[in-house]
Amino acid sequence: MAKKGFGTFKGVFIPSFEAIFGTVLFLVLPMLTGAMGFYNMLLIVVLANSVTFATTFSISDCVTNLRKVGSGGMYALAKRSFGKAFGGSIGIQLYLAQAVSIGFYVIGFAEPLQPLLMKIPMYASWAADAGISVALQKQLLATVLSVIAFIAALVGADFVSKIQLLIFFILIAAVGSIMISPFFEKSVVGKSIFTSAPNLTGAGYAIGFWAAFAAFFPAVTGIDAGVGMSGELKDPRRSLPIGTFLAIFVTLLGYLVVTYVFSLMRPELLLPQADGSVPSLVKIFSSTVPFASYMVLIGILFATGSSALAYFLTAPRTLHTLANDGLLPNFISFLGRDFFKDGREPRWATVLTFLIAVSIIWSGDLTFVSTVVGICFLVVYGWINLAAFLERISGNPSFRPTFKGHWLVSFYGFAFAIGVIALFNIWIGIGVFVSQLILFFLLLRFRAGNKLEGVWWGLIFSVLQWGFKRAKRLIQGTKNWRPIVGVFFFADETSYLKPELEIAERISSFKGLALLNALLPAGKELPELPPEASVLRGSDFSSLIVGASFASLPGGLGVNTVMLPLDRRLNHLDLMDEFSSQGKHVLIYKHGSAFQESPRIDVWWKGKSNGNLMALLAYIIRETDLQLGFEKKEIRLIRMLSDDNQKNEIEKKELESLLELSRLDGSILVLDKDERPFDDIVSEHSSDASLILMGAPGQRGAGLARWFSLDKRGFDKQIEKFENLPPILFVRSAYSVPLFDEY
């Protein structure tokens, strides 16, 4: 069956209008006006509405940028901008605030209804005989209204919208009766409630400006009732901005006129009494403007009832969308379905919403819970404004809303919403934010695969772009050297892929960058690779590696270190000579036993030219392991003595001084001259290390020149001698990297 869909008036304007013209107008605004005066309340009303105006600007930005809005209201918009995990955390809080609000509204309905019913003899007699207290009567009445609203919501949105249309006209009559009441006051000696001039500055009652602002602000947060109907609209991209703006504009004018009328009343009639009770408009109007008294009573009842109805529509739809998006635990996934196979109403979600509302009615003191709910709504408004702000400033090319807002408006809405939270209760506000972060991390891990979506990429890209542009102005010298590693691996050799990428990550994760490049022989099928890896397909692998290594990067950056796999298809000697001549360090990785089994990294030192880089890499790897939660490793510098005893003593002291100055927190092992093959010596002393760093074959040096002066074939044979050792990084340094600041 085709979905009908609501238009702007019935789908957005009426729900928002009825939620904004709620109990605050009838029960709270008179007292605030009497205490603060017209000027202060005029400023409060305008300031409060400025937040919802800014939020509506942000909503319009987000809505008109989407081809399809979908159901879920503000949650749907948050999800589009912030991604599944963060948007889901906002949606869950929004749903709970909506569901709990129903409980408050039906209790507000019961407040004036209970004393009215007590005037009926049969009801009063029944309550007295049953010994039912006033508080219990109000809870029972609120429960009855909840059941009625629940049944109406189960029937469907179309049925509820017809009821809301009736309530709309009743509310207009109730508010209108207040506006015209000064013209129809009966002349009763000593009982006049209106004065000839407005109360402009207040009656001196002890209430601060921001306290009054916090008391009034919930009146203007009803725009969520209309936005929450996004999935039921014919054209949400058009209806949501127009309907919400129109509702705010009309209700703002209404509040300004009603505030002026209240300022014409004698302040002492509106201020709290000695016992703390606030005078009722119904009672105030009863003596001189009786028709207004009746209309205010009806207005209070229908305002609270309509708000409860509105949230009985929006809350289940938010929950229904959360369930269908896979953000709820599997055992309650049925909340995304209807009772009936082909039904479109969120009836299971409506049942849970009803249970939450009833539990709130019977929970007792609601002051704390009401503050939490108000802050939850403010948090949602703040995030919607922030979403539009970030979309604007990130310059995302895909963000092209037809509504032409400005980032300053959205930022104002975000900042003011956060400020109002502090006015309500800063500690509860912090608690709400913390609970949302917990929800976010849980959803990120279990529902989003630890992947952020949405505006974050555009924002981070903009920050990087800004940084790269300015990095071009900086001199990139050896001070504060960081590894920018071009990592190369053969895509058809999957057995060594994981360990090679792990060592690359440990070198670059926290101190530099790693650029992954998969070498794929021609004719081979592309296997599953890390998503960030580039694929280099061909047969001349040396040319592919050299070309990729010299490619320019943003910000004037370039690869300063090349990491090669140990594979016979490569001529490592030629590549090392090529990169060294161009000022690029070379690392050749040989896989071995498990990387984390030993708490020590061995560096075979043979002088500063190559040794400094090896020592620095060992330090970087150790610090990365600590960041990842592994045990701290000892760095051990190993030095073989030569025939020159005097030189040996100088070099030993040099190593000790180097450790102290560079703060590598390691140890030194000095070995006597040994005529055995070098691989035997390494095996004896480093077979229990977690990682070994040593000079790459091909380097020429005194004493071991015959070992380092090798062609490709000899290189491969020498490497094979280290086959049974732990992982090894063979290092060829293009220049001496300083280990500490010389100045």
Side-chain angles (χ1 to χ4, degrees):
M1 184 174 63
K3 178 181 173 183
K4 296 180 181 179
F6 297 113
T8 301
F9 184 70
K10 289 180 68 175
V12 181
F13 176 78
I14 287 182
S16 298
F17 177 93
E18 293 179 1
I20 295 172
F21 271 164
T23 54
V24 171
L25 185 146
F26 297 102
L27 300 178
V28 179
L29 185 60
M31 183 274 292
L32 293 178
T33 305
M36 303 299 296
F38 178 68
Y39 287 155
N40 284 322
M41 284 311 302
L42 176 68
L43 182 58
I44 288 172
V45 170
V46 171
L47 271 179
N49 276 274
S50 71
V51 179
T52 51
F53 262 116
T55 304
T56 306
F57 268 86
S58 298
I59 290 171
S60 302
D61 265 356
C62 295
V63 165
T64 58
N65 185 58
L66 299 173
R67 183 179 63 85
K68 182 180 179 181
V69 178
S71 61
M74 290 193 181
Y75 157 63
L77 303 181
K79 179 181 65 176
R80 296 301 194 282
S81 291
F82 288 124
K84 190 174 184 179
F86 200 81
S89 68
I90 295 172
I92 291 172
Q93 281 197 340
L94 175 63
Y95 165 71
L96 291 174
Q98 291 169 335
V100 171
S101 293
I102 296 171
F104 293 129
Y105 284 124
V106 292
I107 290 173
F109 177 89
E111 286 288 340
L113 183 60
Q114 186 274 334
L116 183 65
L117 291 177
M118 287 297 291
K119 295 179 181 180
I120 303 174
M122 185 181 296
Y123 177 88
S125 175
W126 169 79
D129 294 342
I132 302 175
S133 66
V134 172
L136 183 57
Q137 289 179 53
K138 292 178 180 179
Q139 288 175 316
L140 290 170
L141 290 171
T143 304
V144 170
L145 178 61
S146 293
V147 172
I148 295 172
F150 170 61
I151 294 172
L154 286 180
V155 173
D158 192 56
F159 176 69
V160 173
S161 70
K162 293 176 181 177
I163 299 175
Q164 288 181 320
L165 186 61
L166 173 64
I167 295 174
F168 171 72
F169 291 111
I170 293 174
L171 275 180
I172 290 178
V175 176
S177 69
I178 296 175
M179 293 179 177
I180 64 174
S181 59
F183 301 103
F184 292 90
E185 183 183 25
K186 294 180 180 179
S187 179
V188 179
V189 179
K191 291 189 175 183
S192 176
I193 61 175
F194 290 103
T195 61
S196 58
N199 168 23
L200 298 178
T201 57
Y205 185 75
I207 181 172
F209 179 87
W210 292 113
F213 180 90
F216 173 79
F217 189 81
V220 301
T221 60
I223 60 173
D224 176 59
V227 178
M229 296 297 291
S230 60
E232 309 295 325
L233 303 174
K234 293 178 183 177
D235 185 3
R237 298 178 74 251
R238 179 180 181 274
S239 294
L240 286 175
I242 294 176
T244 308
F245 271 122
L246 186 61
I248 293 174
F249 181 72
V250 171
T251 55
L252 171 61
L253 291 179
Y255 269 110
L256 292 177
V257 174
V258 170
T259 300
Y260 181 75
V261 172
F262 289 154
S263 71
L264 292 172
M265 292 182 173
R266 288 190 289 127
E268 64 270 19
L269 296 176
L270 303 175
L271 297 180
Q273 304 302 301
D275 60 358
S277 63
V278 178
S280 166
L281 270 183
V282 176
K283 185 176 181 180
I284 294 173
F285 279 132
S286 61
S287 59
T288 60
V289 196
F291 81 90
S293 176
Y294 295 130
M295 291 307 303
V296 167
L297 176 61
I298 294 172
I300 293 173
L301 294 176
F302 278 91
T304 52
S306 67
S307 297
L309 270 177
Y311 281 116
F312 249 124
L313 286 183
T314 56
R317 280 158 176 78
T318 303
L319 182 62
H320 182 266
T321 308
L322 285 165
N324 286 331
D325 287 344
L327 294 175
L328 301 181
N330 293 333
F331 71 92
I332 55 173
S333 60
F334 67 90
L335 294 171
R337 300 192 296 269
D338 195 349
F339 292 166
F340 312 106
K341 184 178 180 181
D342 297 323
R344 303 181 63 90
E345 293 289 334
R347 290 187 170 92
W348 281 116
T350 303
V351 172
L352 179 60
T353 302
F354 169 72
L355 294 176
I356 293 175
V358 171
S359 67
I360 292 299
I361 294 171
W362 293 92
S363 63
D365 184 12
L366 301 178
T367 304
F368 174 78
V369 182
S370 65
T371 303
V372 173
V373 170
I375 288 176
C376 283
F377 276 119
L378 281 168
V379 168
V380 173
Y381 289 1
W383 287 129
I384 293 296
N385 281 295
L386 183 64
F389 168 72
L390 294 179
E391 293 279 18
R392 288 283 182 188
I393 67 168
S394 67
N396 187 351
S398 67
F399 187 72
R400 301 186 301 275
T402 57
F403 182 86
K404 302 300 180 184
H406 194 280
W407 65 266
L408 274 174
V409 177
S410 297
F411 181 77
Y412 167 81
F414 168 72
F416 214 115
I418 300 303
V420 174
I421 289 173
L423 293 177
F424 270 65
N425 189 309
I426 190 169
W427 297 113
I428 294 178
I430 292 172
V432 170
F433 276 113
V434 169
S435 65
Q436 185 185 352
L437 286 177
I438 293 172
L439 282 171
F440 163 62
F441 285 119
L442 290 173
L443 292 174
L444 183 66
R445 180 176 179 183
F446 297 108
R447 290 291 185 266
N450 281 323
K451 297 291 184 180
L452 279 175
E453 306 168 287
V455 72
W456 307 114
W457 163 243
L459 180 64
I460 293 173
F461 184 86
S462 296
V463 173
L464 290 175
Q465 188 181 44
W466 180 89
F468 284 143
K469 286 181 179 178
R470 281 144 188 83
K472 293 180 180 178
R473 306 173 187 173
L474 303 177
I475 298 174
Q476 297 176 33
T478 56
K479 181 179 173 62
N480 294 322
W481 181 87
R482 291 174 180 268
I484 304 175
V485 188
V487 181
F488 297 88
F489 58 91
F490 281 95
D492 58 340
E493 288 290 342
T494 56
S495 58
Y496 294 146
L497 175 58
K498 183 178 179 181
E500 184 177 353
L501 295 183
E502 283 181 352
I503 189 68
E505 181 183 3
R506 283 178 165 82
I507 291 173
S508 61
S509 285
F510 296 98
K511 304 295 182 180
L513 296 172
L515 308 174
L516 305 185
N517 300 274
L519 301 169
L520 185 65
K524 294 278 189 178
E525 291 187 6
L526 184 65
E528 185 176 351
L529 298 172
E532 63 271 25
S534 300
V535 178
L536 306 177
R537 189 188 295 269
S539 55
D540 188 354
F541 300 119
S542 293
S543 297
L544 292 173
I545 291 172
V546 171
S549 299
F550 286 97
S552 62
L553 298 174
L557 298 176
V559 170
N560 58 27
T561 305
V562 179
M563 185 172 174
L564 302 174
L566 196 58
D567 192 290
R568 289 177 180 252
R569 286 173 285 186
L570 297 180
N571 190 325
H572 296 87
L573 292 176
D574 289 347
L575 287 171
M576 283 192 291
D577 289 341
E578 172 71 22
F579 289 129
S580 294
S581 66
Q582 298 296 327
K584 297 183 187 296
H585 310 301
V586 180
L587 311 176
I588 302 173
Y589 177 68
K590 181 205 78 70
H591 179 52
S593 56
F595 187 83
Q596 293 298 331
E597 288 182 357
S598 171
R600 195 182 73 247
I601 300 174
D602 281 352
V603 177
W604 286 81
W605 184 275
K606 196 179 178 295
K608 287 184 178 180
S609 59
N610 214 40
N612 278 14
L613 177 60
M614 292 192 293
L616 186 58
L617 289 173
Y619 167 77
I620 291 173
I621 291 170
R622 182 184 69 180
E623 294 303 301
T624 300
D625 287 346
L626 285 174
Q627 294 274 2
L628 295 174
F630 296 115
E631 181 182 359
K632 183 176 181 179
K633 290 179 172 57
E634 175 195 4
I635 297 175
R636 184 172 68 168
L637 302 183
I638 305 175
R639 174 73 174 178
M640 288 186 63
L641 299 178
S642 64
D643 292 330
D644 189 339
N645 292 331
Q646 184 177 1
K647 181 181 177 182
N648 289 339
E649 189 63 28
I650 293 173
E651 289 178 345
K652 183 178 178 181
K653 290 181 179 179
E654 185 181 69
L655 276 179
E656 293 173 348
S657 175
L658 186 69
L659 279 179
E660 180 181 355
L661 291 173
S662 59
R663 299 176 295 281
L664 287 177
D665 188 22
S667 62
I668 298 172
L669 174 63
V670 178
L671 303 178
D672 293 330
K673 183 179 179 181
D674 197 326
E675 298 296 334
R676 289 180 299 165
F678 184 68
D679 54 281
D680 289 344
I681 301 172
V682 174
S683 179
E684 178 184 344
H685 295 283
S686 296
S687 60
D688 61 342
S690 65
L691 178 67
I692 302 170
L693 292 95
M694 67 171 66
Q699 288 180 312
R700 289 165 173 76
L704 292 175
R706 58 184 176 82
W707 189 78
F708 284 113
S709 301
L710 303 170
D711 57 14
K712 180 182 184 305
R713 191 170 184 179
F715 175 91
D716 294 336
K717 287 184 177 181
Q718 287 295 331
I719 290 292
E720 288 176 0
K721 296 179 180 180
F722 298 94
E723 183 67 28
N724 296 323
L725 285 173
I728 299 177
L729 270 179
F730 297 101
V731 179
R732 168 76 74 88
S733 177
Y735 51 84
S736 179
V737 178
L739 289 178
F740 50 85
D741 195 341
E742 299 284 356
Y743 298 99

